[in-house]
Amino acid sequence: MPKATETLLEIDLNALRHNYNYLSSKVDKNTKMLAVVKAFGYGSESVAIANELATLGVAYFGVAYAGEGETLRNAGIETPILVLHPLPVNFDLIVNRCMEPSVYSHKILKDFINYAESQKQHNYPIHLKFNTGLNRLGFRKEDIPKIIETLSRTESVSVKSVFSHLAASEDEAERNFTIAQIDEFRNISEAIIRQLGYKPLLHTVNTSGILNYPEAQFDMVRTGIGLYGFGNNPSENINLKPVATLKTVISQIHTIKEGENVGYNMGFKARETTRTATLPIGHADGISRAFGKGVGWVLINGAKAPIVGNVCMDMIMVDITHISCEEGDEAIVFGETSTAETLSEAINSIPYELLTAISQRVKRVVCRK
Ligand SMILES: *Cc1c(COP(=O)(O)O)cnc(C)c1O
């Protein structure tokens, strides 16, 4: 790639392809892959990501909200789309664009059936979401008789899949809890299949579930963060490649004399002569204020330049006293060597949050490295 001349998020489709192939190698060849592309493809570029994954043969896409699926449909993507968190106000959009809702409560089940009947739908695919311990969205096992009764009174919908979501699949210390979730999911699935009289697809694992609970892959797996290059574990991260690289450029270099300040509210006071570089990226681009005052850093010519003072809305200043560089040089915020995971850990966060925080102001460049 040429050196960045402005703030850019590079999206490497070859890294995506590598991660997809690696995750596929961990999954039984008869098990389908659902690629989670919510939140702009974990902050990258959902259409480019989805197009590449469609050519790789992914069975399903998962989005959180209907509008995210609409973006994929507008781009011509025809793969089935599971909307993980549909809201009744979006049923029109969901059905018009052939998306498939997750149904997680009696209210949403009734509301969707009413809508589907009003549209004269027949066997419209829905996905029943069960709560097995995350306590976020989902029916409970006790709800099964009432679900079956409701479903028996309509032909408007049919159950395409039954699924649940693990609460701590990346956490070895919670292995017993996760195994209990998987057992509960298996019991629920068996009861549903018995009472429905047909067999929907079953799925419960996310990326860390694929890697840590291979016995729980059922008919489909849902992978998000792994596709983007992170396995929630150093021994898995080495098998994956970060898809996104956030780059920027040095706009101006200052020599700060002892006793002078840098940035708003005197966030930095020079105790000795200090050289700083001002970069065109700030909290409005997704660089949290928590990275200020030396907590976060960028790489310039391979060396770590800590952020000095407070993060501004549109800029940061970094310490380059010991780095040989000049105005116009490139700075790497995160990428392959200094990763989004390491940087996020500096503020007790996770790559999921740092990646999805990169705002839409940052230009996306899709490439193959
Ligand atoms: C976001 C999400 C996933 C993807 O999880 P990763 O840890 O990114 O693989 C899977 N399933 C559901 C229900 C989700 O909300």
Side-chain angles (χ1 to χ4, degrees), residues 34-42 46 50 60-73 77 80-86 94 99-102 163 222 228:
L34 179 151
V36 182
V37 295
K38 62 196 179 190
F40 301 103
Y42 286 45
S46 65
Y60 256 91
F61 288 115
V63 296
Y65 298 106
E68 298 173 333
E70 181 184 25
T71 302
L72 301 185
R73 288 287 183 252
I77 285 164
I81 297 174
L82 168 55
V83 181
L84 294 164
H85 198 165
I94 287 174
M99 295 186 259
E100 305 175 13
S102 159
F163 74 111
R222 304 186 303 271
Y228 305 98

Side-chain angles (χ1 to χ4, degrees), residues 15 61 65 67 87 99 112 135 151 165-167 185 209 235 299 326 335:
F61 288 115
Y65 298 106
L87 297 161
M99 295 186 259
F112 191 75
N135 291 318
L151 289 173
H165 193 37
L166 302 176
F185 178 65
S235 72
L299 288 189
E326 54 189 68

Side-chain angles (χ1 to χ4, degrees), residues 36 38 42 84 129 136 163 165 205-208 222-226 232 352:
V36 182
K38 62 196 179 190
Y42 286 45
L84 294 164
K129 171 78 178 286
R136 187 173 70 177
F163 74 111
H165 193 37
V205 294
N206 62 340
T207 300
S208 290
R222 304 186 303 271
T223 175
I225 198 75
N232 295 325
Y352 296 79

Side-chain angles (χ1 to χ4, degrees), residues 46-341:
S46 65
V47 168
I49 295 282
N51 274 325
E52 184 72 8
L53 291 168
T55 66
L56 290 169
V58 72
Y60 256 91
F61 288 115
V63 296
Y65 298 106
E68 298 173 333
E70 181 184 25
T71 302
L72 301 185
R73 288 287 183 252
N74 287 345
I77 285 164
E78 294 177 354
T79 308
I81 297 174
L82 168 55
V83 181
L84 294 164
H85 198 165
L87 297 161
V89 68
N90 293 319
F91 286 166
D92 250 330
L93 178 59
I94 287 174
V95 170
N96 283 334
R97 307 309 298 273
C98 289
M99 295 186 259
E100 305 175 13
S102 159
V103 172
Y104 51 84
S105 70
H106 291 302
K107 178 183 181 327
I108 198 114
L109 178 60
K110 278 203 202 95
D111 287 352
F112 191 75
I113 288 174
N114 287 342
Y115 176 78
E117 287 179 344
S118 76
Q119 301 297 303
K120 309 260 180 298
Q121 290 292 335
H122 187 74
N123 286 341
Y124 197 89
I126 63 170
H127 301 257
L128 295 180
K129 171 78 178 286
F130 280 86
N131 172 23
T132 53
L134 181 61
N135 291 318
R136 187 173 70 177
L137 284 183
F139 290 107
R140 287 175 181 245
K141 191 160 71 186
E142 309 82 86
D143 296 321
I144 294 176
K146 192 166 160 192
I147 298 170
I148 298 292
E149 190 202 292
T150 307
L151 289 173
S152 72
R153 290 206 230 101
T154 185
E155 305 241 287
S156 62
V157 299
S158 79
V159 181
K160 181 78 182 281
S161 87
V162 175
F163 74 111
S164 187
H165 193 37
L166 302 176
S169 58
E170 69 283 7
D171 189 351
E172 192 52 37
E174 298 296 350
R175 180 162 275 273
N176 288 344
F177 181 89
T178 303
I179 288 171
Q181 273 200 285
I182 294 166
D183 287 345
E184 174 81 348
F185 178 65
R186 194 173 279 114
N187 292 336
I188 287 168
S189 305
E190 282 166 5
I192 289 273
I193 291 168
R194 204 166 45 240
Q195 297 179 53
L196 268 183
Y198 57 91
K199 190 185 171 303
L201 295 172
L202 308 178
H203 49 111
T204 199
V205 294
N206 62 340
T207 300
S208 290
I210 294 172
L211 301 172
N212 299 333
Y213 299 90
E215 70 282 9
Q217 293 177 354
F218 296 95
D219 303 309
M220 186 156 77
V221 298
R222 304 186 303 271
T223 175
I225 198 75
L227 291 173
Y228 305 98
F230 298 94
N232 295 325
N233 176 333
S235 72
E236 285 300 344
N237 287 341
I238 57 169
N239 298 314
L240 297 163
K241 292 186 180 169
V243 165
T245 298
L246 182 58
K247 293 181 165 181
T248 185
V249 60
I250 298 177
S251 297
Q252 191 180 10
I253 289 176
H254 292 274
T255 300
I256 313 296
K257 297 196 189 92
E258 183 189 336
E260 288 186 332
N261 319 300
V262 177
Y264 287 125
N265 306 104
M266 288 72 195
F268 175 82
K269 201 177 243 323
R271 291 215 196 101
E272 57 196 348
T273 305
T274 304
R275 264 186 5 127
T276 64
T278 301
L279 312 177
I281 185 168
H283 64 74
D285 302 289
I287 305 304
S288 166
R289 259 178 71 91
F291 284 119
K293 302 189 176 173
V295 174
W297 66 87
V298 301
L299 288 189
I300 296 175
N301 295 329
K304 230 170 161 176
I307 298 177
V308 299
N310 287 311
V311 172
C312 309
M313 184 182 294
D314 312 306
M315 284 169 258
I316 53 176
M317 284 69 88
V318 297
D319 187 339
I320 53 159
T321 309
H322 304 292
I323 303 175
S324 127
C325 58
E326 54 189 68
E327 291 171 356
D329 279 1
E330 185 176 85
I332 310 275
V333 182
F334 58 71
E336 201 153 359
T337 47
S338 182
T339 67
E341 182 159 66

